[in-house]
Amino acid sequence: NKSANDGDDCFRILVADDVAMLRKGLMRSVLEVFSSFQNCPVSVTTACTAEDALRALSTNGPYDIFICDNQFAEPDDLNKISLEGNGRPQVYYKKEENKNLREAVTDFFSNEQFTIEAGDGSLAGIDALQQLVNKGIHLPHPMPIIILLSGHDIKVPEKSGIIVVQKPLKRSKFVHLIESYAQYLLESDMCAEEKNEDGKLIIVNKRGSQIFTQGVLEE
């Protein structure tokens, strides 16, 4: 469900990968997952390195989910934006508006922009995520749910809050993946239980967006 917090009524996702084709594939997968839900607008933003993603989290947040690759290369021949700009380009989608997803994604990637600084590409995704969960980097916004994509079997500390997923992250498995980590997200304090307006127990992330109903824990 969308969040009504922070003056923003849509579910916000940040995708970080250094390969444009993979960023595009992840964005389309996420948007297609959300295209089946009523009354749940979503926006997706991209980053080209772990460093760029950390700057996006700090200056363009809050985000509900952060999906991050592990290995990055130095950015080359990409459009640059400044931190003083009008914010990052994003794709906003709402089922009720009947937008053409393919056109929206194509338009976005024709003008994709990033913050790029000297040394970018040297920070691994896992190191960036550990900085986040260990509070080595101050975020002015609530912590998003964190997903690390890797071609290797990376081990993270128990209850770190980091979800590690082997590539590729298939669209058909996305919702099930998040649901399968419901208890883990609660135990690692990345999510919490609360009652909605109807008195039903739901699970929300730190931003206050509903992620699951409580029933997912019983399945």
Side-chain angles (χ1 to χ4, degrees):
N1 279 11
K2 64 186 179 182
S3 170
N5 296 343
D6 307 296
D8 190 348
D9 70 346
C10 73
F11 200 85
R12 304 189 70 218
I13 299 174
L14 174 64
V15 170
D17 199 297
D18 60 330
V19 181
M21 182 176 67
L22 298 181
R23 288 195 303 274
K24 191 172 185 178
L26 275 171
M27 173 178 278
R28 286 190 61 180
S29 293
V30 169
L31 288 169
E32 286 173 4
V33 166
F34 277 85
S35 68
S36 62
F37 298 116
Q38 296 282 353
N39 300 315
C40 186
V42 60
S43 73
V44 185
T45 308
T46 57
C48 62
T49 61
E51 295 91 344
D52 182 40
L54 291 178
R55 291 192 288 269
L57 289 167
S58 296
T59 62
N60 294 95
Y63 291 96
D64 292 291
I65 297 178
F66 172 31
I67 304 173
C68 187
D69 190 22
N70 188 46
Q71 294 182 313
F72 293 89
E74 181 181 353
D76 181 45
D77 195 28
L78 297 174
N79 295 323
K80 183 177 180 180
I81 57 175
S82 69
L83 294 178
E84 291 76 29
N86 295 321
R88 290 170 179 258
Q90 64 180 349
V91 172
Y92 174 87
Y93 182 82
K94 186 176 183 180
K95 181 178 177 64
E96 291 78 8
E97 295 178 355
N98 296 314
K99 279 186 180 179
N100 184 303
L101 275 181
R102 184 181 295 274
E103 289 182 4
V105 172
T106 299
D107 289 345
F108 172 87
F109 278 91
S110 68
N111 190 39
E112 194 181 20
Q113 299 174 25
F114 311 96
T115 60
I116 300 173
E117 298 183 3
D120 281 6
S122 60
L123 182 65
I126 182 60
D127 294 331
L129 301 187
Q130 287 180 331
Q131 287 183 36
L132 284 174
V133 298
N134 294 328
K135 297 181 172 56
I137 294 177
H138 171 70
L139 285 185
H141 311 290
M143 182 79 71
I145 291 174
I146 295 172
I147 300 174
L148 176 71
L149 299 182
S150 176
H152 303 283
D153 185 19
I154 295 179
K155 303 297 183 184
V156 296
E158 186 178 358
K159 298 182 181 179
S160 66
I162 300 173
I163 298 173
V164 180
V165 179
Q166 290 277 307
K167 291 182 176 180
L169 176 56
K170 296 182 179 179
R171 179 177 67 251
S172 60
K173 303 293 185 182
F174 184 80
V175 173
H176 176 71
L177 168 75
I178 302 295
E179 290 179 342
S180 69
Y181 279 92
Q183 188 64 50
Y184 171 77
L185 291 170
L186 287 171
E187 292 175 354
S188 58
D189 196 35
M190 296 296 283
C191 287
E193 293 178 306
E194 67 176 41
K195 289 186 177 180
N196 64 11
E197 296 175 353
D198 298 323
K200 294 181 179 180
L201 199 60
I202 60 173
I203 299 173
V204 300
N205 64 8
K206 287 184 173 293
R207 188 182 171 215
S209 300
Q210 180 181 332
I211 308 298
F212 326 101
T213 61
Q214 200 274 343
V216 74
L217 300 175
E218 302 166 0
E219 296 177 355

